[in-house]
Amino acid sequence: MATADQSGSEKKIVLRIRRSEEEEEGEEFLISESGAALSGTLKKMLEDGADGVITLTNVRKYTIQMIIDYLETHATATATERGCRDFDREFASGKDHYLLKGLMIDADTLKIRDLTDLLARKIADYVRNKSIKYRFIVLRGREPTTEEKEQWRNLPRVVDWDEQRRLEELDELDEQLAQANIRNLLEI
């Protein structure tokens, strides 16, 4: 079922996105074979003998086209690495944290390491300099429990450092906390 594009040079793969295994029909998307090769999951499925149609049930329909655009751009990026960096910067900007989380989870599912890292950094930037409660709500999607609030109160306080050094340390801790929460989110 793989098709060739208008020039006939690039083989296209059909990605069928379903909500469950029982669903017979699914929404279909086209991706080039070179774009699919950038995804560890899709590459493995193609190597295992997928016939040009790959069915995915654990990827969201609203994120897949953005992920395909990312893969296609990186697969055809023959110009410079700077062009990819500019695309990456534009790709991650202007999206709310819900969409960023959905994209990151799907990129992780499809084993697209560069995209997962890009989105994790963007989410970390999004919650930088925010309260712990706000970070918790953004990263976990719920209010913290009483036990979690008590753990925050028992964290050691730093008082003897000059203000600039203390702020730099807090920024580093913020980023580490955000990355740890992102890793926990991916494990859920």
Side-chain angles (χ1 to χ4, degrees), residues 10 13 15 31-44 46 54 68 71-72 75 110 112:
E10 183 73 43
I13 308 299
L15 297 179
I31 184 170
S32 68
E33 195 169 32
S34 60
L38 296 177
S39 162
T41 301
L42 299 178
K43 182 178 180 180
K44 177 89 168 100
L46 289 171
I54 297 175
I68 289 171
L71 293 172
E72 295 287 355
L110 294 172
I112 308 167

Side-chain angles (χ1 to χ4, degrees), residues 15-18 23 25-29 61:
L15 297 179
R16 184 174 295 137
I17 309 299
R18 297 190 211 169
E23 183 180 350
E25 295 296 319
E27 196 166 338
E28 293 184 351
F29 299 88
K61 290 179 184 178

Side-chain angles (χ1 to χ4, degrees), residues 43-59:
K43 182 178 180 180
K44 177 89 168 100
M45 292 172 114
L46 289 171
E47 289 171 353
D48 288 347
D51 63 351
V53 177
I54 297 175
T55 302
L56 300 168
T57 57
N58 51 357
V59 177

Side-chain angles (χ1 to χ4, degrees), residues 7-115:
S7 65
S9 62
E10 183 73 43
K11 185 176 173 186
K12 294 283 187 178
I13 308 299
V14 176
L15 297 179
R16 184 174 295 137
I17 309 299
R18 297 190 211 169
R19 282 182 276 171
S20 67
E21 288 291 333
E22 293 79 33
E23 183 180 350
E24 289 193 25
E25 295 296 319
E27 196 166 338
E28 293 184 351
F29 299 88
L30 289 176
I31 184 170
S32 68
E33 195 169 32
S34 60
L38 296 177
S39 162
T41 301
L42 299 178
K43 182 178 180 180
K44 177 89 168 100
M45 292 172 114
L46 289 171
E47 289 171 353
D48 288 347
D51 63 351
V53 177
I54 297 175
T55 302
L56 300 168
T57 57
N58 51 357
V59 177
R60 294 159 187 81
K61 290 179 184 178
Y62 69 89
T63 62
I64 192 66
Q65 189 59 56
M66 289 180 263
I67 291 173
I68 289 171
D69 292 342
Y70 176 89
L71 293 172
E72 295 287 355
T73 300
H74 281 264
T76 60
T78 56
T80 63
E81 187 176 310
R82 182 184 176 116
C84 282
R85 282 195 314 253
D86 292 342
F87 174 81
D88 289 353
R89 187 175 18 260
E90 185 178 317
F91 180 84
S93 65
K95 294 176 175 58
D96 66 12
H97 67 274
Y98 297 111
L99 182 55
L100 290 171
K101 282 186 347 186
L103 281 166
M104 187 183 65
I105 291 168
D106 290 346
D108 185 62
T109 299
L110 294 172
K111 293 183 178 35
I112 308 167
R113 175 99 179 158
D114 292 340
L115 181 57

Side-chain angles (χ1 to χ4, degrees), residues 65-175:
Q65 189 59 56
M66 289 180 263
I67 291 173
I68 289 171
D69 292 342
Y70 176 89
L71 293 172
E72 295 287 355
T73 300
H74 281 264
T76 60
T78 56
T80 63
E81 187 176 310
R82 182 184 176 116
C84 282
R85 282 195 314 253
D86 292 342
F87 174 81
D88 289 353
R89 187 175 18 260
E90 185 178 317
F91 180 84
S93 65
K95 294 176 175 58
D96 66 12
H97 67 274
Y98 297 111
L99 182 55
L100 290 171
K101 282 186 347 186
L103 281 166
M104 187 183 65
I105 291 168
D106 290 346
D108 185 62
T109 299
L110 294 172
K111 293 183 178 35
I112 308 167
R113 175 99 179 158
D114 292 340
L115 181 57
T116 304
D117 291 345
L118 169 72
L119 295 168
R121 283 192 307 273
K122 184 65 177 176
I123 292 171
D125 290 344
Y126 190 80
V127 298
R128 181 170 293 141
N129 298 325
K130 304 287 194 250
S131 70
I132 294 175
K133 181 178 178 181
Y134 179 81
R135 290 179 197 172
F136 199 92
I137 292 169
V138 166
L139 297 174
R140 294 291 177 113
R142 64 177 173 80
E143 291 277 336
T145 64
T146 306
E147 294 82 24
E148 291 163 336
K149 288 179 184 178
E150 189 61 36
Q151 287 175 346
W152 299 341
R153 287 187 192 102
N154 294 332
L155 291 174
R157 305 228 184 260
V158 179
V159 264
D160 293 336
W161 296 4
D162 66 334
E163 187 65 17
Q164 184 62 33
R165 177 69 180 153
R166 188 166 78 60
L167 290 174
E168 290 172 3
E169 289 291 321
L170 286 174
D171 281 345
E172 289 176 21
L173 289 173
D174 288 347
E175 189 163 340

